[in-house]
């Protein structure tokens, strides 16, 4: 029935790729995806420490209702990232201290909520990655509807069950399963080039000639008048 559906995840990104992406900055990966993929700046890290890297277990729920999030916590395998499209509404919280502690015992890899949390102090002290759009003390409803392991979208970023979700303190990002190998190679090369740049800065040999060259190409005289 539409609105009440619970599915198995048909496939998921490999553990090898999850490990490979774990220490790569999200900003580097985003650049390699041409800067057109994003879950939006509203969803911010609410936790103290910890990185996201794992397969998406998706939840689509009515704003203000967390029934299917509770079910997703029961279904999730260790390392899963529960990604919730709750419409971005901040009227009611969807996740708090009790669910946080249950998620930790279940060894969940992280929580991404296009919605609000409460018990923010407890979440802020935790190393379980939690991303959310806001905080409110008002509690949730538990009536549904909701769907699990269906395609969802957050600020235009489409997420399918099993896609790779990564996150750090710059935000989170979804990488399609079929794109992950290609994106990984590009991101590793990007990281290598940035490490060379940082070494050149430390050595005092950083080349910034590209700035004037770019200005000239835009018709701007780079020489101060």
């Amino acid at each position: 029935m539409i609105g009440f559906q619970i599915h198995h995840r048909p496939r998921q990104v490999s553990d090898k790729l999850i490990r490979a992406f774990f220490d790569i900055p999200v900003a580097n990966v985003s650049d390699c995806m041409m800067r057109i993929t994003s879950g939006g700046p509203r969803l911010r890290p609410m936790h103290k420490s910890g990185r996201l890297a794992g397969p998406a277990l998706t939840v689509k729920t009515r704003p203000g209702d967390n029934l299917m999030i509770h079910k997703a916590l029961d279904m999730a395998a260790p390392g899963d990232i529960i990604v919730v499209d709750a419409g971005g509404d901040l009227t009611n919280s969807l996740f708090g201290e009790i669910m946080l502690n249950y998620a930790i015992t279940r060894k969940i890899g992280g929580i991404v909520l296009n919605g609000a949390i409460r018990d923010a102090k407890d979440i802020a002290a935790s190393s379980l990655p939690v991303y959310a759009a806001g905080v409110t003390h008002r509690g949730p409803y538990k009536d549904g509807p909701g769907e699990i392991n269906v395609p969802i979208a957050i600020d235009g970023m489409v997420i399918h069950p099993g896609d790779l979700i990564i996150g750090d303190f710059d935000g989170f990002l979804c990488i399609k399963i079929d794109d992950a190998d290609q994106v990984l190679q590009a991101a590793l090369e990007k990281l290598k080039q940035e490490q060379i740049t940082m070494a050149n800065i430390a050595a005092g040999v950083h080349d910034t000639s590209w700035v004037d060259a770019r200005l000239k190409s835009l018709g701007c005289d780079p020489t101060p008048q």
Side-chain angles (χ1 to χ4, degrees):
M1 179 173 63
I2 294 175
F4 283 96
Q5 299 185 57
I6 299 173
H7 300 282
H8 290 292
R9 187 165 51 195
R11 60 180 185 145
Q12 67 182 61
V13 66
S14 70
D15 289 342
K16 180 180 179 181
L17 280 167
I18 293 168
R19 290 192 298 270
F21 272 96
F22 191 81
D23 291 319
I24 302 176
V26 170
N28 284 5
V29 180
S30 180
D31 285 352
C32 294
M33 295 174 71
M34 301 302 176
R35 304 180 176 95
I36 62 173
T37 300
S38 173
R42 294 177 66 241
L43 271 70
R44 304 308 307 153
M46 300 290 181
H47 53 288
K48 177 182 69 174
S49 62
R51 292 176 59 95
L52 280 181
L57 193 164
T58 62
V59 180
K60 188 174 182 66
T61 185
R62 178 172 65 90
D65 193 290
N66 74 354
L67 175 62
M68 286 299 185
I69 304 175
H70 281 278
K71 178 60 179 177
L73 286 171
D74 286 339
M75 291 175 57
D80 278 355
I81 311 298
I82 297 176
V83 188
V84 182
D85 173 11
D89 181 78
L90 304 181
T91 306
N92 300 84
S93 64
L94 300 174
F95 189 87
E97 180 187 11
I98 291 174
M99 297 173 77
L100 171 74
N101 282 281
Y102 185 50
I104 291 170
T105 65
R106 297 278 297 159
K107 295 182 170 54
I108 305 300
I111 308 290
V112 177
L113 294 164
N114 192 13
I117 62 164
R118 67 177 177 180
D119 302 320
K121 183 178 179 180
D122 299 285
I123 292 172
S126 172
S127 60
L128 176 72
V130 176
Y131 293 74
V135 178
T136 179
H137 54 79
R138 294 179 63 176
Y141 300 99
K142 294 175 170 57
D143 305 307
E147 300 178 341
I148 295 178
N149 281 330
V150 297
I152 62 173
I154 297 177
D155 267 16
M157 183 171 71
V158 178
I159 303 164
H160 289 87
D163 281 348
L164 175 61
I165 304 296
I166 61 172
D168 58 21
F169 279 90
D170 284 337
F172 80 102
L173 184 61
C174 174
I175 306 166
K176 295 179 182 177
I177 296 174
D178 294 332
D179 294 343
D181 280 306
Q182 179 182 353
V183 172
L184 174 62
Q185 297 310 311
L188 288 172
E189 180 60 29
K190 174 77 172 176
L191 181 59
K192 178 181 175 181
Q193 294 303 316
E194 287 200 354
Q195 290 169 340
I196 291 172
T197 298
M198 295 299 287
N200 288 341
I201 290 172
V205 295
H206 180 48
D207 181 10
T208 61
S209 60
W210 68 269
V211 177
D212 285 357
R214 179 61 176 155
L215 288 169
K216 289 178 181 178
S217 74
L218 295 169
C220 176
D221 185 352
T223 305
Q225 303 299 313

